[in-house]
Amino acid sequence: MSDLLEILLKRRSIRKYTGEAIPAEKLEEIINAGLLAESGRRICPWELIVVKDKDMLKKLSECREGAAKMLAGADAAIVVIADEEKTDVWIEDSSIVMANMHLMADHLGVGSCWIQGRLRNTPDGELTEEYLRDLLGYPKNLRLEAILSLGMYDVHPEPHSLSELKIEKIHYEKY
Ligand SMILES: Cc1cc2nc3c(=O)[nH]c(=O)nc-3n(C[C@H](O)[C@H](O)[C@H](O)COP(=O)(O)O)c2cc1C
């Protein structure tokens, strides 16, 4: 099996963190993995907001009903926003940034989880995008994609296995 497939099999979402600090060089590598994402016409419409402040992480954890609560115990969050005026594929571009960072985090032994931001609401019914805009100060043309929660972990879930792949979803030549 290729090294990359093994890395992909091992990747899991991790929501429980020890509170230990993520080594700075690991956080830098995670961010670099995001910045290395392919991008339509190489426009790279995204911006990353790295949050380490504990009070702010607590506030960010309230951006969704339940789905973001791990941020209260995270060591860092990376909020991915993008300029929708620069390209109509800002969602695709931003998703690849998220996926690259999530995969790199797992590879480096750092737990992480994608938190959906776009099209979601706070428990009070406010758009998550606007709630975070007020907290983080990004301008109107920058749209929220998602948040990556990050922290060190004690327990890594079992890797995926090739036997669970949904091979029935593959269609050859025609549907
Ligand atoms: C687009 C997308 C949105 C997601 N949103 C959330 C979320 O808001 N909160 C959360 O805890 N997990 C979220 N996840 C993580 C998924 O729940 C997780 O990837 C899935 O359960 C499979 O588990 P695994 O990542 O460990 O393989 C999201 C994942 C993706 C790709």
Side-chain angles (χ1 to χ4, degrees):
M1 193 189 305
S2 71
D3 291 351
L4 182 54
L5 198 57
E6 278 193 39
I7 291 166
L8 287 163
L9 282 169
K10 183 179 155 276
R11 179 217 58 80
R12 295 300 308 270
S13 298
I14 298 180
R15 302 174 178 84
K16 197 156 180 247
Y17 312 114
T18 59
E20 193 191 339
I22 301 167
E25 62 279 8
K26 292 196 178 198
L27 189 58
E28 189 183 338
E29 274 202 57
I30 291 165
I31 293 167
N32 285 347
L35 298 179
L36 274 166
E38 63 271 41
S39 164
R41 292 186 284 148
R42 196 69 195 136
I43 288 175
C44 305
W46 24 257
E47 309 269 342
L48 310 183
I49 304 175
V50 182
V51 177
K52 300 253 326 165
D53 180 79
K54 294 283 178 262
D55 291 338
M56 184 59 97
L57 287 168
K58 173 85 183 59
K59 287 179 189 156
L60 296 187
S61 76
E62 288 153 24
C63 74
R64 294 276 313 278
E65 175 95 63
K69 63 175 188 288
M70 68 291 245
L71 284 171
D75 185 58
I78 304 177
V79 180
V80 178
I81 51 180
D83 190 338
E84 65 174 347
E85 292 166 10
K86 285 191 175 157
T87 170
D88 60 358
V89 293
W90 67 271
I91 297 170
E92 291 84 346
D93 282 355
S94 303
S95 298
I96 300 165
V97 173
M98 282 291 295
N100 276 11
M101 294 195 298
H102 175 48
L103 187 62
M104 179 58 90
D106 192 279
H107 184 56
L108 295 175
V110 178
S112 71
C113 187
W114 181 310
I115 298 164
Q116 184 63 20
R118 195 177 64 84
L119 304 178
R120 295 292 180 268
N121 293 93
T122 68
D124 294 339
E126 184 184 4
L127 271 178
T128 297
E129 176 172 71
E130 298 307 324
Y131 176 80
L132 294 188
R133 194 189 304 286
D134 284 346
L135 288 174
L136 302 171
Y138 51 87
K140 278 280 174 205
N141 56 314
L142 291 175
R143 305 294 312 279
L144 174 66
E145 166 71 10
I147 307 158
L148 191 70
S149 67
L150 290 153
M152 304 308 287
Y153 58 81
D154 271 336
V155 181
H156 188 290
E158 282 294 300
H160 290 292
S161 75
L162 288 178
S163 62
E164 71 189 71
L165 296 189
K166 300 181 193 312
I167 51 174
E168 68 280 7
K169 290 184 176 286
I170 311 169
H171 310 276
Y172 291 100
E173 314 302 346
K174 279 191 172 186
Y175 184 80

